[in-house]
């Protein structure tokens, strides 16, 4: 057993939570190591999540636009064909560039990158089974940060083979466009990956248990508009529908479904089924039992406000604990955890974490939904502005969607902002700042926005909240 000199911090997991925590800790002068077993840094997000999915979303959108939305723009293109292999190669290139970039950042900041599986032995020791070679490494440390992330929740009775029955990991790497794809779960993964394969030519049906799509956190009005727009693009939806069972023993996959309102059953057939019913915390082989650290009923590691477990020197961040499973949320926590260790204080404003779904149009939001505000009993005002009345959206021939503001009726403080429209993911940054700084809708309404930009719709929705919009 090779024993290293003592570290100040050992981070287990090299995803957005773990790698950011490691870099920040090193920047704060702490002797830091980061243990990652995947063979590449960047975690789920860079390797099989955010980055590859966005590469496919971008390039499938360009393909779809050139094929179906181009001649009325005065551009004639003949013989548009898909080279799926090349599209996948472009995706892999982006992933490789970004994951190796983190290795460089580690070197620049003096973080030791330990390739292998980390197991907590006791409060001050992490044992690593290296990826290469057989000799275990023992890392002695004053602090441990757990950032082991999450994995796809399986669907009982349907075995994942990542070919015919896939999670998002298989869905970003299919070798050919399926004729028929059924997506179980109309949340963010289902709608993003469903969009990719629908644009590339698959007949996609999304089966969602609840009455609305979008997963947790999407405002009900926006979810309805999203469903209408995606339906127009050719995706079929079966909401309020439960998948009872699946059979993948034949050539394709057969699913038995049930309408939850009238209990009517039906069968769906597909070449590929994407299971996208949520993700669950991942703690396999981590050795939590060696230190008596507890999880809740959903497998999330239990922590206090300062990310501490029952051992004050073992902290937990990202998907493996409470809160939204988002890369930027994990990153904020990574920084805060490193600061707690180094300085004794840190902070994340959970009320100002944006969510973005990268379909076309994009859907983005921050703060509370109208349903949440209503439930809180607060009196509120809603202001909306449609992109149909925005000059830039009109010149872009891309007018689907709207901006919706919710503000406190008494103080005009912005409580929530919800956008569906092209570029919503970039535009929401202004909403996050507004909420972070406690802005009123009038603050935004009186702020000049460049003309002609899509962001004028943002200003006009604020105008509609505290008074009246000019252009609608
Ligand atoms: P992870 O990224 O899961 O990283 C954990 C790492 O720990 C893994 O690399 C794992 O190999 C390693 N590990 C686990 N156990 C051990 C061990 N014992 N020893 C050593 N290493 C270990 N979020 C967004 O914000 N935007 C998006 O657009 C987005 N798109 C997504 C698309 C898909 C298809 C998926 C699946 C997810 C997406 N997410 C997105 C969510 C995002 O990927 C996660 O929220 C984020 O990766 C969480 O970061 P993390 O550091 O907590 O965990
Ligand atoms: P999700 O929680 O967003 O959605 C899952 C959906 O499946 C829900 O609508 C749920 O009602 C439905 N569902 C659950 N069980 C079902 C069943 N048996 N039959 C039919 N429907 C069922 O989870 P998803 O889409 O798997 O994504 C996991 C997480 O990954 C998300 O919560 C998100 O945090 C993260 N992610 C973020 C992205 C982004 O930020 N753009 C992109 C992709 C993933």
């Amino acid at each position: 057993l090779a024993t290293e000199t003592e570290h100040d911090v050992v981070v287990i997991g090299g995803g957005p939570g773990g790698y950011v925590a490691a870099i920040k800790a090193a920047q704060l002068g702490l002797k830091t190591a980061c243990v990652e077993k995947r063979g590449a840094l960047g975690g789920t997000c860079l390797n099989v999540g955010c980055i590859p999915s966005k590469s496919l979303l971008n390039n499938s959108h360009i393909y779809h636009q050139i094929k179906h939305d181009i001649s009325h723009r005065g551009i004639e293109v003949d013989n548009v064909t898909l080279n799926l292999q090349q599209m996948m190669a472009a995706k892999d290139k982006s992933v490789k560039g970004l994951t190796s970039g983190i290795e460089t950042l580690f070197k620049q900041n003096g973080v030791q990158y330990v390739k292998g599986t980390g197991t907590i032995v006791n409060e001050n020791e992490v044992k690593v089974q290296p990826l290469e070679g057989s000799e275990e490494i023992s890392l002695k440390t004053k602090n441990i940060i757990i950032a082991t992330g999450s994995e796809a929740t399986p669907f009982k009775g349907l075995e994942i083979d990542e070919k015919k029955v896939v999670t998002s990991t298989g869905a970003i790497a299919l070798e050919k466009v399926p004729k028929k794809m059924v997506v179980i779960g109309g949340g963010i993964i289902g709608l993003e990956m469903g969009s990719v394969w629908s644009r590339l030519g698959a007949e996609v049906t999304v089966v969602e248990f609840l009455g609305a799509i979008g997963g947790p956190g999407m405002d009900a009005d926006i979810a309805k508009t999203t469903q209408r727009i995606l339906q127009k693009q050719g995706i079929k939806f079966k909401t309020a529908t439960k998948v009872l069972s699946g059979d993948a023993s034949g050539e394709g996959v057969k699913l038995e479904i049930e309408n939850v309102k009238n209990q009517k059953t039906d069968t769906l057939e597909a070449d590929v089924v994407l299971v996208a019913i949520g993700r669950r915390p991942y703690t396999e082989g981590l050795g939590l039992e060696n230190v008596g650290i507890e999880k809740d009923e959903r497998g999330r590691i239990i922590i206090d406000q300062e990310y501490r477990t029952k051992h004050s020197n073992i902290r937990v961040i990202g998907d493996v604990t409470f809160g939204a499973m988002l890369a930027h949320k994990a990153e904020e926590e990574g920084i805060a955890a490193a600061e707690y260790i180094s300085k004794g204080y840190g902070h994340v404003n959970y009320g100002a974490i944006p969510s973005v779904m990268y379909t076309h149009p994009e859907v983005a939001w921050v703060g509370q939904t109208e349903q949440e505000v209503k439930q809180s009993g607060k009196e509120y005002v809603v202001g909306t502005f449609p992109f149909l009345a925005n000059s830039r959206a009109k010149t872009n021939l891309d007018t689907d969607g709207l901006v919706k503001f919710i503000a406190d009726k008494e103080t005009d403080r912005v409580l929530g902002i919800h956008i569906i429209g092209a570029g919503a993911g970039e535009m929401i940054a202004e909403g996050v700042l507004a909420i972070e700084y406690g802005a009123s809708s009038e603050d935004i309404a009186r702020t000049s926005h460049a003309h002609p930009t899509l962001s004028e719709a943002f200003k006009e929705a604020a105008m509609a909240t505290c008074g009246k919009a000019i252009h609608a």
Side-chain angles (χ1 to χ4, degrees), residues 158-193:
L158 258 184
E159 204 177 321
I160 304 285
D161 62 8
E162 298 296 11
K163 296 255 180 266
K164 232 163 48 167
V165 181
V166 299
T167 65
S168 51
T169 301
I172 55 164
L174 295 179
E175 281 163 14
K176 60 175 205 234
V177 180
K179 246 180 131 101
K180 283 188 180 181
M181 173 182 249
V182 171
V183 179
I184 309 181
I188 310 245
I189 291 184
L191 300 181
E192 286 189 352
M193 294 318 300

Side-chain angles (χ1 to χ4, degrees), residues 185 187-189 192 208-210 216 276-279 325-326 356 358:
I188 310 245
I189 291 184
E192 286 189 352
E208 166 58 51
F209 177 70
L210 299 175
I277 56 171
R279 293 182 60 84
M325 289 186 169
L326 295 173
V356 181
Y358 298 83

Side-chain angles (χ1 to χ4, degrees), residues 57-235:
L57 277 157
N58 185 58
N59 292 336
S60 64
H61 175 61
I62 294 173
Y63 168 76
H64 190 258
Q65 186 162 38
I66 295 175
K67 208 162 162 98
H68 301 286
D69 176 30
I70 204 79
S71 59
H72 68 125
R73 297 172 185 274
I75 307 166
E76 302 291 344
V77 188
D78 287 335
N79 301 325
V80 182
T81 50
L82 173 68
N83 181 341
L84 185 61
Q85 234 183 340
Q86 183 54 37
M87 198 177 276
M88 291 294 172
K91 172 204 69 172
D92 293 340
K93 189 172 173 215
S94 307
V95 168
K96 184 84 188 69
L98 286 164
T99 54
S100 52
I102 299 172
E103 279 194 51
T104 310
L105 292 176
F106 270 15
K107 283 189 195 123
Q108 283 167 354
N109 287 281
V111 176
Q112 186 191 352
Y113 173 21
V114 185
K115 294 183 192 176
T117 303
T119 303
I120 300 173
V121 180
N122 61 49
E123 284 165 69
N124 296 106
E125 186 183 355
V126 174
K127 185 178 73 183
V128 181
Q129 182 64 54
L131 281 181
E132 285 158 22
S134 54
E135 195 183 8
E136 281 188 350
I137 306 162
S138 160
L139 302 172
K140 295 275 182 347
T141 181
K142 295 193 181 95
N143 296 280
I144 295 171
I145 297 178
I146 298 173
T148 48
S150 61
E151 62 178 354
T153 306
F155 186 86
K156 240 189 173 166
L158 258 184
E159 204 177 321
I160 304 285
D161 62 8
E162 298 296 11
K163 296 255 180 266
K164 232 163 48 167
V165 181
V166 299
T167 65
S168 51
T169 301
I172 55 164
L174 295 179
E175 281 163 14
K176 60 175 205 234
V177 180
K179 246 180 131 101
K180 283 188 180 181
M181 173 182 249
V182 171
V183 179
I184 309 181
I188 310 245
I189 291 184
L191 300 181
E192 286 189 352
M193 294 318 300
S195 288
V196 165
W197 292 107
S198 160
R199 292 166 187 172
L200 297 182
E203 191 187 297
V204 174
T205 305
V206 175
V207 182
E208 166 58 51
F209 177 70
L210 299 175
I213 60 162
M218 194 181 285
D219 185 86
D221 284 346
I222 301 286
K224 256 188 237 151
T225 308
T226 305
Q227 185 172 341
R228 190 172 43 75
I229 294 172
L230 293 180
Q231 248 157 359
K232 222 168 55 182
Q233 293 173 8
I235 299 180

